[in-house]
Amino acid sequence: MSLQAAKRELRKCADKKKAVLLRGFFKTGPGEYGQGDVFLGVTVPCARKVAKEFQGLSLAGVAGLLKSPVHEERLLALLILIRQFLKAGEDKQRRIYEFYLRHTRFINNWDLVDLSSGHIVGMYLLDKEKQPLYRLAKSASLWERRIAMVATMAFIKHKKLDDTFAIAEMLLSDSHDLIHKATGWMLREAGKRDARRLESFLRRHLRVMPRTMLRYAIEKFPEPKRRLFLCW
């Protein structure tokens, strides 16, 4: 089972027309957040099939994929890591978690963060000290800040909401739209578990919360209540 074989299998799914669309969707133009990212035009379901076939790839092989300039090869690396993490014992999970945090500079688009951070970082820290997330939330890296926020999805699923609200509060003044969206999304998910707590958080921070963050957070509110929050 080799790195090159995984790359060859992934390329069987490539679609040039889809690649053009993906380059626009993931903002790869000059000055955009995905500047220079290379796309093959591989769908996520196809990448998942390849990940299943190559789930036994070594961490060195996964690193080779993760360091690739090709977006879908980095995607494949993360899908393999998730499969390995789910089947691993405690020691291997720790090594995968630490590997992930050492390679965050390659987890550098919103889809890569969103599909992986909860499954690896969030699940690993579920019953452990959460301080690593607070360090990530203070990072100069857009993607590390998004990892910090989206990783809390694992906590939300287990009805542990404190860290979601705490990290959201840290990111209220963040300047990037992708952080506004991620934070609003996690607040919305937390609100599904505790609507009163979400409303209390919104009332406290309404005047400083970015508009995009607010819109994402209240997306599932009944229309009259949603309009009320938008008018405040």
Side-chain angles (χ1 to χ4, degrees):
M1 185 169 293
S2 72
L3 167 62
Q4 293 306 319
K7 288 185 175 185
R8 286 195 298 271
E9 196 63 29
L10 189 68
R11 277 165 168 73
K12 292 179 181 179
C13 303
D15 182 322
K16 291 182 179 179
K17 290 183 179 179
K18 188 177 293 294
V20 173
L21 294 174
L22 290 173
R23 285 198 297 272
F25 185 70
F26 285 102
K27 307 296 184 184
T28 61
E32 295 181 312
Y33 61 75
Q35 180 176 341
D37 210 350
V38 178
F39 284 85
L40 299 174
V42 177
T43 64
V44 173
C46 188
R48 289 189 189 279
K49 289 181 182 179
V50 179
K52 184 177 181 180
E53 181 178 351
F54 288 88
Q55 61 187 302
L57 193 65
S58 68
L59 282 183
V62 172
L65 288 172
L66 199 53
K67 293 175 182 178
S68 170
V70 177
H71 187 97
E72 291 95 337
E73 290 182 359
R74 303 198 305 281
L75 170 68
L76 177 60
L78 294 167
L79 290 172
I80 291 172
L81 277 183
I82 292 167
R83 296 188 70 90
Q84 292 182 354
F85 185 91
L86 290 174
K87 295 182 178 182
E90 185 175 347
D91 184 62
K92 181 65 179 295
Q93 285 189 340
R94 176 186 56 78
R95 285 188 283 129
I96 291 171
Y97 162 78
E98 291 174 351
F99 173 93
Y100 186 100
L101 291 187
R102 288 197 306 271
H103 291 83
T104 54
R105 64 189 181 280
F106 304 109
I107 307 169
N108 57 356
N109 215 313
W110 59 264
D111 64 317
L112 303 179
V113 170
D114 294 358
L115 76 87
S116 63
S117 58
H119 289 295
I120 296 176
V121 178
M123 284 306 299
Y124 182 77
L125 294 176
L126 183 63
D127 58 354
K128 298 177 180 66
E129 170 59 47
K130 308 301 191 294
Q131 195 55 38
L133 289 187
Y134 292 85
R135 289 196 294 270
L136 289 171
K138 296 176 181 178
S139 172
S141 164
L142 160 65
W143 307 116
E144 289 191 344
R145 299 197 306 277
R146 188 164 175 122
I147 287 169
M149 190 71 258
V150 179
T152 69
M153 176 63 88
F155 310 158
I156 294 169
K157 289 179 178 179
H158 288 79
K159 299 182 180 180
K160 297 181 177 183
L161 308 181
D162 290 353
D163 297 290
T164 298
F165 285 107
I167 293 172
E169 190 166 14
M170 290 175 65
L171 295 174
L172 284 171
S173 60
D174 199 284
S175 62
H176 205 289
D177 184 65
L178 287 176
I179 299 300
H180 303 168
K181 291 176 180 178
T183 304
W185 170 28
M186 289 302 104
L187 287 172
R188 183 178 73 230
E189 293 304 310
K192 292 177 182 178
R193 275 70 177 181
D194 191 335
R196 289 185 178 179
R197 188 168 182 182
L198 173 58
E199 289 188 31
S200 175
F201 180 92
L202 294 176
R203 289 191 180 97
R204 289 199 311 275
H205 301 294
L206 195 61
R207 297 189 184 279
V208 296
M209 181 178 290
R211 203 67 169 172
T212 297
M213 189 185 296
L214 175 62
R215 288 184 180 277
Y216 271 62
I218 65 175
E219 188 175 34
K220 299 300 183 181
F221 280 16
E223 184 60 21
K225 183 177 290 186
R226 196 181 72 82
R227 288 186 178 182
L228 180 62
F229 272 96
L230 287 172
C231 289
W232 278 354

